Amino acid sequence: MKYVDPSCGIAVADAIAPRPRPFFSPRLFARKPNPDAPDYLDTYYWWAYVEPRAIWFWERDWLINLVLFGNYKKLGAAALEAMGDDLQGKTLKISCCYGKLTPNLTKKVMASGGTLEVVDVMPAQINNLKSKLPADAPVTTRQMNACALDYPDESQDRTLLFFLLHELPPESRRQAFSEAMRVLKPGGKLVVVDYGKPKRWNPMRFCILPFLGWLEPFAIALWRTELTDLLADQMKGCTLTQKSFFGGLYQSLAITKPK
């Protein structure tokens, strides 16, 4: 199936039913399925998050900054700013992610006297994160699927989803978003930073579409669906603060639950 973006007329693989890319086909490299990885992750993202050599390769700030067209520091700073200055209590980060964002978040949590938990579905990602954190950091790591968080309702003061939702198939995206909201306390804040829909005048929309369709098959769905529309019922009464970056290609959304 193909989806034609009406604003640019470019046909791309439908994010709802993506097909395996031959270049990254597991058969080409004679890979064995990883039992820790969900099917979508092992099929489409093994080259980025699953294979140990891939983790070694991508754990470079300059490389992550290059992939985000020089916006990594700005987006990371935006996420930390949106979370606030006082990070007492419990902070939950869903997925490890590469770069210095989690170590920088850890510093803010330590300065506030709070605690941080980081969950990820891949043990290898958790081990990689541990290597970047101080031994005395108040950080707990747990292997956990973002679509089924093992936390009670309203148990976290704040949660962070940094470039995770665009990697998930549509139903998994909705579930992970819903889980992040479910565990949030009244008055708590959820911060999401991810792809958005570029403005019509942004030339990057023409340049990046083929690459997203090839390497990030679920990301283009965020061009068609506003984050605020994914969980309209759960967001009723919430305070929303939305910002865009780099001509709309990236976005941040801060959701504060009513007390």
Side-chain angles (χ1 to χ4, degrees):
M1 297 176 64
K2 292 289 183 180
Y3 162 68
V4 178
D5 180 43
S7 59
C8 64
I10 297 178
V12 295
D14 190 345
I16 296 177
R19 293 174 295 176
R21 275 51 181 175
F23 180 77
F24 288 119
S25 170
R27 293 182 181 179
L28 183 62
F29 293 90
R31 291 181 62 252
K32 294 182 179 180
N34 189 310
D36 293 316
D39 289 343
Y40 79 88
L41 192 64
D42 203 44
T43 299
Y44 299 105
Y45 290 106
W46 64 266
W47 55 272
Y49 302 109
V50 178
E51 290 292 307
R53 285 175 296 178
I55 296 173
W56 170 84
F57 176 79
W58 286 106
E59 189 54 81
R60 290 167 169 78
D61 281 7
W62 68 266
L63 185 55
I64 300 302
N65 197 47
L66 179 65
V67 170
L68 294 177
F69 301 103
N71 288 275
Y72 176 70
K73 289 184 179 180
K74 180 183 293 185
L75 294 169
L80 295 178
E81 180 182 359
M83 297 193 78
D85 295 326
D86 186 358
L87 301 186
Q88 295 183 54
K90 297 180 179 180
T91 300
L92 174 64
K93 185 171 181 294
I94 304 173
S95 87
C96 291
C97 81
Y98 293 122
K100 295 180 180 178
L101 175 60
T102 306
N104 290 338
L105 175 59
T106 300
K107 292 178 183 177
K108 288 195 67 172
V109 169
M110 292 178 70
S112 299
T115 60
L116 172 64
E117 291 205 27
V118 183
V119 301
D120 201 290
V121 73
M122 293 302 303
Q125 287 289 338
I126 293 174
N127 291 335
N128 179 61
L129 173 62
K130 288 179 179 179
S131 70
K132 299 189 292 181
L133 298 177
D136 61 344
V139 180
T140 301
T141 57
R142 298 177 62 185
Q143 182 185 0
M144 195 180 301
N145 193 317
C147 299
L149 296 177
D150 186 20
Y151 293 105
D153 294 353
E154 302 181 350
S155 58
Q156 306 296 318
D157 292 286
R158 63 199 65 84
T159 57
L160 174 61
L161 291 166
F162 189 82
F163 279 91
L164 172 65
L165 294 182
H166 78 276
E167 296 168 350
L168 303 175
E171 187 55 36
S172 297
R173 181 183 304 121
R174 188 179 299 275
Q175 290 173 354
F177 203 172
S178 178
E179 282 290 274
M181 288 289 292
R182 177 186 65 81
V183 301
L184 200 61
K185 292 180 179 180
K189 181 183 289 187
L190 165 61
V191 174
V192 183
V193 178
D194 218 307
Y195 282 102
K197 184 175 182 177
K199 306 296 184 183
R200 290 180 179 272
W201 52 261
N202 190 341
M204 290 307 301
R205 68 183 306 115
F206 300 98
C207 301
I208 201 173
L209 262 175
F211 293 100
L212 286 181
W214 182 38
L215 299 175
E216 303 270 17
F218 306 110
I220 300 169
L222 293 181
W223 289 29
R224 292 181 281 173
T225 305
E226 291 286 344
L227 289 175
T228 51
D229 294 335
L230 286 176
L231 299 175
D233 290 341
Q234 281 183 268
M235 291 187 192
K236 287 181 179 178
C238 294
T239 301
L240 308 179
T241 303
Q242 209 162 5
K243 296 181 180 179
S244 64
F245 304 87
F246 203 54
L249 183 59
Y250 309 114
Q251 63 177 315
S252 70
L253 174 63
I255 307 165
T256 304
K257 269 189 175 182
K259 293 184 178 180

